[in-house]
């Protein structure tokens, strides 16, 4: 199981980030017994996971590779010899 496949998160990782983030966000908002700081951290962490999963899904749909190292090849092309 690879987390990064072809310069982007693999499909199972994107889905896990999305649904895991939703679960953490809703769980943080639903628990009234825990201190408010824990609820705020859970909300922010869940929101961040949802955003990361959504951005990676959009990058996959547009065939963008955010975790690829192809910029190194482009940098070598423009170096002064």
């Amino acid at each position: 199981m690879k987390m990064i496949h072809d310069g982007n998160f693999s499909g199972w990782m994107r889905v896990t980030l999305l649904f895991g983030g939703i679960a953490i966000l809703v769980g943080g908002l639903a628990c009234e017994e825990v201190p408010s700081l824990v609820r705020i951290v859970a909300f922010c962490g869940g929101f961040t996971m949802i955003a990361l999963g959504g951005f990676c899904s959009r990058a996959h749909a547009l065939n963008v590779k955010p975790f690829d190292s192809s910029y190194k090849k482009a940098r070598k092309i423009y170096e002064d010899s």
Side-chain angles (χ1 to χ4, degrees):
M1 260 197 218
K2 294 172 68 174
M3 286 180 48
I4 296 178
H5 175 70
D6 197 26
N8 199 351
F9 281 135
S10 59
W12 67 269
M13 187 66 183
R14 292 190 300 264
V15 171
T16 302
L17 282 171
L18 185 67
F19 288 122
I22 290 171
I24 291 172
L25 185 131
V26 171
L29 292 177
C31 292
E32 296 181 6
E33 297 84 28
V34 296
S36 62
L37 182 63
V38 174
R39 293 177 70 187
I40 291 170
V41 169
F43 178 82
C44 291
F47 186 78
T48 303
M49 287 175 66
I50 292 169
L52 184 62
F55 289 148
C56 289
S57 294
R58 187 174 294 173
H60 177 73
L62 296 173
N63 201 16
V64 177
K65 299 176 182 174
F67 303 113
D68 194 17
S69 62
S70 62
Y71 67 91
K72 292 179 183 178
K73 293 178 190 174
R75 186 179 290 172
K76 288 181 183 178
I77 291 171
Y78 294 110
E79 284 182 352
D80 292 330
S81 299

